[in-house]
Amino acid sequence: MAEYASGGLPTAPPSRDHLDWPFFDESHRALVAKLDTYAATGTLAAIDHADTDGACRTLVRDLGKAGLLDAATGSGGRAAIDSRAVCLTRETLAFHDGLADFAFAMQGLGTGAIGLSGSEGLKAEVLPKAQSGEWIAAFALSEKEAGSDVAAMACAARRDGDHYVLDGEKTWISNGGIADVYTVFARTGEAPGTRGISAFVVYADDPGFSIAERIDVMAPHPLATIRFDACRIPAERLLGAPGEGFKIAMRTLDIFRASVAAAALGFARRALFEALAHAKARNMFGAKLADLQLTQAALGDMAAAIDAGALLTYRAAWRRDVQKLVATKEAAMAKMVATENAQTVIDRAVQMFGGRGVRVGEITEKLYREIRALRIYEGATEVQKLIIARELLKNA
């Protein structure tokens, strides 16, 4: 069992048996070793989570300085994004600190569409700054009436000479309020529904852009509603062709959806780690908690649930990276199973800790708050079921 530093973070890694799976090569094992070394420096333990915005800015800067944002941004646009590297990074960071995982993930999600469909000029302008941590990125797709139903999008963009003019709002935007660059999706009307949506790059200092509302959630991270009031941006900041926005968004989410599952794995592994340590130390009924068969059964269930999610997660990433195949169905399965299983694992850990498990400041209490949103964002569990069924029916 790993030892703890003064900040409560493990200084030695938990079991890394899954790195021996055939999904990974030496570069992936080296990446995890680099992440463990970074975590052992105490940087994460020193983060002031009371200042969420400041903590996120610090984390992005420090992750960039350590070279750990390369995986999220494809080395600043110079290389294709390796899904397994993204997943391993998120799993490892989530094990140590949920906000660190968030900071890393949003640099990738916020710039993914630029790497896929941006002009060479846009890539050169944005991606190196995101890779270094100089700029913070955000992905602006959701609206109050258009979350899971993207076709209901109302935010609009119209062509005006050499510019586009954006009007409307986006909400539930992670990094909203602190981001320097936003990938924004707006209706341009080339066709009905999702075929009439385009993607744009908007900078935080563009005229007409503003923060309408900051949003507080149970696991604090920067979140906001953003507003466009006749926001004029140069036409060259269009990503891809007009009307290709939905396709670009889905391609981006296909890359990063499996990584949400990986973050859930990190939270679940930390919960199991804590549960094992607690069970071996806690005296109960003249023995240790770990000696009780009910405890052993719970630990067995938790370990199997984590491995089930991990196998699905890394299969999806491997399919994309190595087989070069579309992994829409596989990523949806991974996201659904890993996040739901992690919720169950963490709930079991809280139960095992008893009253201490729900005390504010305990790691189990924090994990309980962290995991809940993962079952919703980047496609709720119910949406993942529909995606899986759609893919099955399409190929039947």
Side-chain angles (χ1 to χ4, degrees):
M1 194 62 60
E3 297 177 353
Y4 280 74
S6 59
L9 292 172
T11 56
S15 171
R16 297 295 194 198
D17 293 347
H18 65 294
L19 292 178
D20 294 329
W21 292 352
F23 298 125
F24 308 113
D25 56 36
E26 285 305 316
S27 69
H28 298 111
R29 287 181 275 273
L31 172 62
V32 172
K34 183 178 181 180
L35 287 158
D36 286 335
T37 299
Y38 171 74
T41 64
T43 299
L44 299 180
I47 293 295
D48 178 12
H49 286 78
D51 176 11
T52 304
D53 288 359
C56 198
R57 289 189 181 98
T58 298
L59 282 164
V60 170
R61 183 176 62 249
D62 287 353
L63 288 168
K65 184 178 179 180
L68 295 173
L69 294 177
D70 293 13
T73 63
S75 296
R78 295 186 299 276
I81 291 175
D82 183 285
S83 295
R84 291 165 295 169
V86 173
C87 288
L88 286 170
T89 303
R90 291 202 66 179
E91 179 183 334
T92 306
L93 290 175
F95 177 89
H96 290 287
D97 186 272
L99 194 60
D101 161 63
F102 166 84
F104 168 83
M106 284 312 306
Q107 289 299 94
L109 185 61
T111 60
I114 300 172
L116 287 172
S117 303
S119 66
E120 292 305 314
L122 271 177
K123 292 179 185 178
E125 171 72 10
V126 175
L127 298 183
K129 292 177 181 176
Q131 176 199 10
S132 68
E134 179 184 350
W135 278 9
I136 293 176
F139 182 84
L141 179 65
S142 296
E143 299 180 11
K144 289 181 180 179
E145 300 297 331
S148 299
D149 181 13
V150 179
M153 183 179 297
C155 182
R158 58 181 175 83
R159 185 71 183 255
D160 183 18
D162 294 333
H163 290 76
Y164 277 93
V165 181
L166 279 66
D167 286 285
E169 288 189 350
K170 296 287 179 180
T171 195
W172 303 112
I173 307 306
S174 293
N175 277 344
I178 68 168
D180 301 282
V181 58
Y182 295 78
T183 297
V184 178
F185 299 85
R187 181 165 299 285
T188 44
E190 288 76 18
T194 57
R195 293 177 296 165
I197 294 170
S198 299
F200 304 90
V201 172
V202 176
Y203 297 143
D205 58 0
D206 282 333
F209 172 87
S210 64
I211 305 301
E213 177 191 16
R214 294 300 299 271
I215 303 171
D216 294 323
V217 289
M218 61 195 295
H221 65 268
L223 195 68
T225 298
I226 61 177
R227 178 177 295 149
F228 306 95
D229 294 304
C231 178
R232 292 179 64 84
I233 61 171
E236 55 264 28
R237 292 213 223 133
L238 173 73
L239 298 175
E244 290 186 345
F246 179 76
K247 180 173 68 174
I248 292 169
M250 293 306 104
R251 287 179 65 200
T252 305
L253 291 172
D254 274 351
I255 295 172
F256 290 97
R257 183 170 284 134
S259 80
V260 181
L265 292 176
F267 292 141
R269 290 193 196 280
R270 182 64 182 272
L272 178 58
F273 178 94
E274 299 291 339
L276 285 166
H278 177 71
K280 291 173 70 175
R282 178 79 158 94
N283 293 312
M284 185 171 285
F285 301 119
K288 297 296 183 184
L289 182 61
D291 295 327
L292 303 179
Q293 288 186 328
L294 281 173
T295 303
Q296 294 171 11
L299 292 170
D301 285 343
M302 293 160 76
I306 291 170
D307 268 12
L311 286 164
L312 286 171
T313 299
Y314 290 111
R315 177 191 69 162
W318 177 83
R319 177 179 170 87
R320 179 184 177 275
D321 290 343
V322 177
Q323 292 186 304
K324 308 298 182 184
L325 296 172
V326 174
T328 301
K329 173 170 62 70
E330 290 76 13
M333 287 181 173
K335 204 263 186 187
M336 176 181 74
V337 173
T339 57
E340 292 291 334
N341 284 7
Q343 180 80 66
T344 301
V345 167
I346 293 168
D347 187 70
R348 297 295 284 273
V350 170
Q351 192 76 5
M352 202 175 296
F353 271 73
R356 179 184 159 195
V358 294
R359 182 178 178 179
V360 173
E362 291 285 346
I363 184 62
T364 46
E365 179 266 343
K366 184 177 180 181
L367 290 168
Y368 199 83
R369 289 185 287 107
E370 292 277 10
I371 189 58
R372 190 58 186 86
L374 272 66
R375 294 168 56 203
I376 298 173
Y377 77 68
E378 289 192 40
T381 294
E382 292 75 13
V383 173
Q384 303 311 316
K385 293 178 181 181
L386 295 177
I387 291 171
I388 295 164
R390 182 191 65 198
E391 292 298 309
L392 288 172
L393 291 167
K394 183 170 69 175
N395 296 313

